Amino acid sequence: MKLQRSGFVAGIALTAAIALTGCGSDNESPGSTSSAAPGDCVGGSLTAQGSTAQKNAMDDWIKAYQTKCADSKVDYQGTGSGAGIEAFIAGTADFAGSDSALKEEEQPQADAKCAGGKAINLPMVIGPIAVVYNVEGADGLQLSSSTIAKIFAGKITKWNDAAIAAENTGAKLPDAKIETVHRADESGTTDNFTKYLSKTAEADWTYSNAKAWKAPGGTGVSKSDGIATKVKGTPNTISYVELSFAENSGLQTAKIKNGAGEYVELSGESAGKTFENAEIKGTDGDLALSIDYATTTPGAYPIVLVTYEIACSKGSAKAKEVQAFLKYTSSSDGQKALADLGYAPLPETLRTKVADSVAKIS
């Protein structure tokens, strides 16, 4: 299948009333549905960097925000999630974008930049991860987590391997070597993709999960647009990349077998269903999520990620500027702006929690 944007956001809207559970208040702030109005503008500049997965969303948000708030300037660079967190810890980024929440070892370093407060994870963008490939005449391949793990671990090396053929009866599979492509830079997309493999194919994937790619072999390429370009231009490759980049490049995408035993096509509705069992594991305004990659929810597409904005709950020298910008990105209008960019808006139950946390930044 080659992904088209049509219907993605409409589909995920069907799952907007997601029952997120865990810690975190259900109370909604009175102004949590508002967008950036002149009264919400704070003049000044912000410097941020990190996740390339949300770069297209950030570009659009910044343009809209700066149009409404002429005295404000936001500069966001898609340097990768790992680089974004490093910049936040080093004090060279006012907030960071990351496709993974702060790790246990990163938290105290990030907290140290927040005088009297702590660094919090604010989910802002939902972006399903597509397994993309370039095999002529083989659209709509079906792959299980075990098969995917064996491919990226170098245990399956040919496209016509018996394991792939068994999941794709009648498919035209060439007797060609598979070239796996992974992120060369530290990436939250890699962290989420390998977390999916480690949670659902433990016997075949022994490299755990991390922002840095650990498995041997394969070709390393930097950033999401680099992955899309490499797969688009190189026959017999396979990789992983966020939905928006797969769509923009018209890449072939695989149907993925979920915990219910179904091979599911990537769509708004199918990705949204995976969040039905997501739990908020953070406390005190931190909204880090726990995602069930082995979901048995019928029709759920299991490989998903959430991009977080990492900011200080208190104590940042740019607290007012950060708050004003994130008030817009977490508003109803800000989230609706994602619809035409290949992303999905936050479910309303989660969006209001994010808006509440942003409102308390000081």
Side-chain angles (χ1 to χ4, degrees):
M1 181 187 98
K2 292 186 179 179
L3 277 180
Q4 301 294 327
R5 266 186 205 159
S6 169
F8 178 80
V9 176
I12 205 162
L14 296 176
T15 58
I18 288 171
L20 286 151
T21 61
C23 301
S25 171
D26 288 324
N27 297 327
E28 296 181 16
S29 297
S32 63
T33 60
S34 65
S35 60
D40 297 318
C41 296
V42 175
S45 62
L46 287 174
T47 299
Q49 61 173 285
S51 166
T52 61
Q54 69 165 3
K55 183 62 167 64
N56 294 334
M58 270 292 168
D59 288 347
D60 190 82
W61 277 335
I62 290 169
K63 181 179 178 180
Y65 179 72
Q66 291 180 165
T67 297
K68 296 184 178 189
C69 303
D71 293 331
S72 303
K73 179 175 175 56
V74 183
D75 178 61
Y76 181 86
Q77 298 297 318
T79 57
S81 297
I85 291 173
E86 289 176 4
F88 183 81
I89 290 172
T92 57
D94 298 314
F95 69 88
S98 176
D99 302 327
S100 297
L102 287 166
K103 302 294 186 186
E104 185 177 351
E105 63 272 18
E106 295 169 335
Q107 188 70 54
Q109 300 175 68
D111 289 346
K113 299 300 175 181
C114 307
K118 66 175 184 177
I120 55 177
N121 302 282
L122 299 170
M124 205 66 72
V125 178
I126 291 177
I129 301 173
V131 175
V132 295
Y133 60 95
N134 183 342
V135 178
E136 186 177 357
D139 287 347
L141 288 183
Q142 300 185 153
L143 298 173
S144 63
S145 59
S146 174
T147 300
I148 296 169
K150 289 175 182 177
I151 290 172
F152 282 92
K155 299 173 184 176
I156 291 177
T157 60
K158 290 289 191 72
W159 277 108
N160 63 348
D161 185 276
I164 300 176
E167 296 186 80
N168 295 277
T169 303
K172 182 183 177 183
L173 299 171
D175 181 18
K177 183 179 179 181
I178 299 172
E179 180 182 354
T180 59
V181 182
H182 58 265
R183 287 283 290 271
D185 51 334
E186 289 201 357
S187 162
T189 310
T190 295
D191 192 23
N192 282 273
F193 179 66
T194 54
K195 190 177 294 182
Y196 160 73
L197 295 178
S198 66
K199 297 289 186 182
T200 61
E202 294 178 78
D204 303 303
W205 184 258
T206 58
Y207 304 101
S208 188
N209 66 280
K211 294 186 183 76
W213 185 260
K214 293 183 178 181
T219 301
V221 178
S222 293
K223 302 185 180 179
S224 300
D225 54 356
I227 292 286
T229 299
K230 171 66 176 177
V231 173
K232 181 75 171 179
T234 311
N236 301 314
T237 48
I238 187 171
S239 190
Y240 54 93
V241 75
E242 302 81 2
L243 169 72
S244 60
F245 291 89
E247 287 181 331
N248 289 343
S249 296
L251 301 177
Q252 292 170 300
T253 62
K255 296 178 182 177
I256 305 300
K257 189 176 184 180
N258 64 18
E262 304 168 322
Y263 290 97
V264 181
E265 186 174 305
L266 176 53
S267 70
E269 184 178 359
S270 64
K273 286 182 177 180
T274 296
F275 284 88
E276 290 180 5
N277 297 318
E279 295 182 358
I280 295 175
K281 60 182 181 180
T283 59
D284 298 326
D286 183 279
L287 299 176
L289 301 176
S290 177
I291 299 170
D292 181 12
Y293 295 99
T295 178
T296 57
T297 301
Y301 181 89
I303 318 179
V304 294
L305 65 76
V306 175
T307 300
Y308 298 90
E309 311 313 329
I310 297 170
C312 289
S313 64
K314 181 180 179 182
S316 168
K318 294 290 185 76
K320 291 183 178 179
E321 292 90 338
V322 170
Q323 183 189 57
F325 178 62
L326 296 185
K327 274 186 175 180
Y328 171 64
T329 66
S330 62
S331 71
S332 294
D333 287 350
Q335 286 296 306
K336 288 176 183 176
L338 300 178
D340 295 328
L341 302 174
Y343 300 100
L346 295 174
E348 186 64 10
T349 48
L350 178 58
R351 189 200 65 76
T352 55
K353 290 181 172 65
V354 175
D356 287 346
S357 289
V358 170
K360 295 172 184 175
I361 290 176
S362 61

